[in-house]
Amino acid sequence: KDGTLFDCEVYGVPMSYGGKPHVLYIGRDITARKATEEALRGSEEQYRAIFNASADALVLRDAEFRIVDVNPAYEAMSGKRRAEVIGQTALTVSARDVSEDRVHLHAVALAGKPVHFETDGQRPDGTPFVLEVRGVPMSYGGKPHVLYSGRDATETKLAERALRVSEEQYRSIFNAATDSMVLRDAEFRIVDVNPAYEAMSGRSRAEVLGSRDVTMSDPAVAARIRALHGQAIAGELVQWEARARRKSGEAFDIEVRGVP
């Protein structure tokens, strides 16, 4: 009556009234329901846009481990079409069958705790690869589900392995060197020392880690050494000689090279 517009749902029901045919119209204000439906539709459109645009393979599974949805990145990784896998409980990218461990992780995610694991993946041509998977709990259609995201981590694992080998080589050379070695960061803090340093200085590694002190050279030349350290951090090879002192107080001559 006041001119306000609203959404109205109307049912017309045939009936007899006073012995004559009539129609009873039933009207209901559904403005709030329509707003809720519109918000839900917008939410679902956002979900679909993000789901389909993701570079990671996404698989949505229900509480019974059935596949409810997959995205284009999954189709590319698995070589399977969405219509082929909907409703399946199999592991469609992993080279392994469903195990008790995987079922347990699904239950953990359903209970509200995200899960993360690596497994053996298999490309459409049969080539194996390292599959990194994350599972996060979510509600879909008002029911608990788990959204799994998978990515090919083969290159990452190879890089990690190469870095580990490189670090092992560094550690072997560092510890085997007969020269005293001290690694300092940009702030002049001691990050590492080798056994030869411990023998020469009389100080243990645990004693000096994190220290900014000049542990062997005369403190009088500390300012000059700090300046040279700055030059080395900038990429320059530096060198100096000084009168040094062991923890016991014994003095000796030391030659130092600083390599960035």
Side-chain angles (χ1 to χ4, degrees):
K1 184 179 179 179
D2 64 4
T4 307
L5 295 174
F6 67 97
D7 293 303
C8 185
E9 181 180 65
V10 181
Y11 290 95
V13 183
M15 64 175 290
S16 177
Y17 183 78
K20 296 180 180 180
H22 287 65
V23 178
L24 176 65
Y25 289 98
I26 304 164
R28 178 180 297 172
D29 184 344
I30 58 168
T31 307
R33 192 185 83 189
K34 293 287 284 185
T36 301
E37 288 174 352
E38 190 65 31
L40 180 60
R41 185 162 55 250
S43 175
E44 288 175 344
E45 287 170 356
Q46 287 179 330
Y47 154 78
R48 176 59 56 193
I50 295 168
F51 191 76
N52 286 343
S54 173
D56 289 338
L58 299 180
V59 180
L60 181 66
R61 291 183 182 266
D62 65 13
E64 277 68 51
F65 206 64
R66 291 183 295 249
I67 294 177
V68 174
D69 204 359
V70 299
N71 70 343
Y74 162 87
E75 292 180 309
M77 178 182 282
S78 68
K80 297 178 175 68
R81 306 302 299 170
R82 182 176 182 273
E84 291 180 62
V85 298
I86 297 298
Q88 283 194 28
T89 56
L91 297 177
T92 51
V93 178
S94 174
R96 301 179 181 178
D97 294 328
V98 177
S99 63
E100 289 185 13
D101 178 58
R102 192 64 53 83
V103 172
H104 169 71
L105 288 173
H106 188 68
V108 169
L110 281 171
K113 184 178 179 180
V115 296
H116 177 221
F117 57 91
E118 289 180 358
T119 186
D120 301 323
Q122 192 170 42
R123 297 187 178 92
D125 62 2
T127 310
F129 70 98
V130 179
L131 178 63
E132 182 183 17
V133 182
R134 296 179 189 276
V136 293
M138 66 174 287
S139 178
Y140 183 80
K143 295 180 180 180
H145 287 66
V146 178
L147 179 64
Y148 290 98
S149 64
R151 65 177 54 178
D152 185 341
T154 307
E155 289 187 9
T156 302
K157 296 301 287 185
L158 289 174
E160 288 174 355
R161 190 176 299 121
L163 179 61
R164 188 163 56 249
V165 169
S166 174
E167 289 175 341
E168 289 169 356
Q169 288 175 333
Y170 154 77
R171 176 61 55 192
S172 297
I173 295 168
F174 191 76
N175 287 342
T178 55
D179 286 334
S180 165
M181 290 192 170
V182 181
L183 179 66
R184 291 184 183 266
D185 65 14
E187 309 303 321
F188 204 64
R189 291 181 293 247
I190 294 179
V191 174
D192 206 358
V193 299
N194 70 343
Y197 164 89
E198 294 177 302
M200 181 184 287
S201 69
R203 297 172 176 84
S204 70
R205 182 174 182 272
E207 283 182 76
V208 299
L209 287 187
S211 170
R212 289 188 173 91
D213 295 337
V214 175
T215 51
M216 285 189 281
S217 296
D218 188 330
V221 300
R224 182 167 67 90
I225 292 171
R226 289 294 295 270
L228 288 170
H229 181 72
Q231 292 175 226
I233 285 290
E236 184 180 336
L237 177 68
V238 298
Q239 183 173 337
W240 71 89
E241 293 181 1
R243 191 69 174 160
R245 195 172 298 278
R246 306 185 209 279
K247 185 178 180 181
S248 64
E250 178 190 354
F252 65 100
D253 294 308
I254 188 172
E255 178 185 65
V256 182
R257 290 184 177 86
V259 182

Short mmCIF file of all heavy atoms in Angstrom, two decimals, residues 15-22:
data_model
loop_
_atom_site.label_atom_id
_atom_site.label_comp_id
_atom_site.label_asym_id
_atom_site.label_seq_id
_atom_site.Cartn_x
_atom_site.Cartn_y
_atom_site.Cartn_z
N MET A 15 -11.49 -24.51 -6.35
CA MET A 15 -12.34 -24.99 -5.26
C MET A 15 -13.80 -24.61 -5.55
O MET A 15 -14.08 -23.76 -6.41
CB MET A 15 -11.89 -24.39 -3.92
CG MET A 15 -12.03 -22.88 -3.83
SD MET A 15 -11.62 -22.23 -2.20
CE MET A 15 -12.99 -22.83 -1.22
N SER A 16 -14.69 -25.25 -4.84
CA SER A 16 -16.11 -24.95 -4.95
C SER A 16 -16.51 -24.10 -3.74
O SER A 16 -16.15 -24.41 -2.60
CB SER A 16 -16.92 -26.24 -4.99
OG SER A 16 -18.30 -25.95 -5.03
N TYR A 17 -17.24 -23.03 -4.01
CA TYR A 17 -17.64 -22.14 -2.92
C TYR A 17 -19.08 -21.71 -3.19
O TYR A 17 -19.37 -21.16 -4.26
CB TYR A 17 -16.72 -20.92 -2.85
CG TYR A 17 -17.02 -19.97 -1.72
CD1 TYR A 17 -16.61 -20.27 -0.42
CD2 TYR A 17 -17.71 -18.79 -1.96
CE1 TYR A 17 -16.88 -19.39 0.63
CE2 TYR A 17 -18.00 -17.91 -0.93
CZ TYR A 17 -17.58 -18.22 0.37
OH TYR A 17 -17.87 -17.35 1.41
N GLY A 18 -19.97 -22.03 -2.25
CA GLY A 18 -21.39 -21.72 -2.46
C GLY A 18 -21.95 -22.50 -3.62
O GLY A 18 -22.88 -22.02 -4.31
N GLY A 19 -21.38 -23.67 -3.89
CA GLY A 19 -21.87 -24.52 -4.96
C GLY A 19 -21.40 -24.07 -6.34
O GLY A 19 -21.85 -24.61 -7.35
N LYS A 20 -20.49 -23.08 -6.37
CA LYS A 20 -20.01 -22.59 -7.66
C LYS A 20 -18.48 -22.67 -7.71
O LYS A 20 -17.82 -22.58 -6.68
CB LYS A 20 -20.47 -21.13 -7.87
CG LYS A 20 -21.98 -20.98 -7.97
CD LYS A 20 -22.37 -19.54 -8.18
CE LYS A 20 -23.89 -19.40 -8.29
NZ LYS A 20 -24.30 -17.97 -8.48
N PRO A 21 -17.94 -22.81 -8.95
CA PRO A 21 -16.47 -22.91 -9.06
C PRO A 21 -15.79 -21.57 -8.73
O PRO A 21 -16.22 -20.52 -9.22
CB PRO A 21 -16.24 -23.30 -10.52
CG PRO A 21 -17.46 -22.84 -11.24
CD PRO A 21 -18.60 -22.93 -10.26
N HIS A 22 -14.76 -21.65 -7.93
CA HIS A 22 -13.94 -20.48 -7.55
C HIS A 22 -12.46 -20.89 -7.61
O HIS A 22 -12.13 -22.05 -7.77
CB HIS A 22 -14.27 -20.02 -6.12
CG HIS A 22 -15.58 -19.34 -5.98
ND1 HIS A 22 -16.80 -19.96 -6.20
CD2 HIS A 22 -15.88 -18.04 -5.65
CE1 HIS A 22 -17.79 -19.11 -6.00
NE2 HIS A 22 -17.25 -17.91 -5.66
#
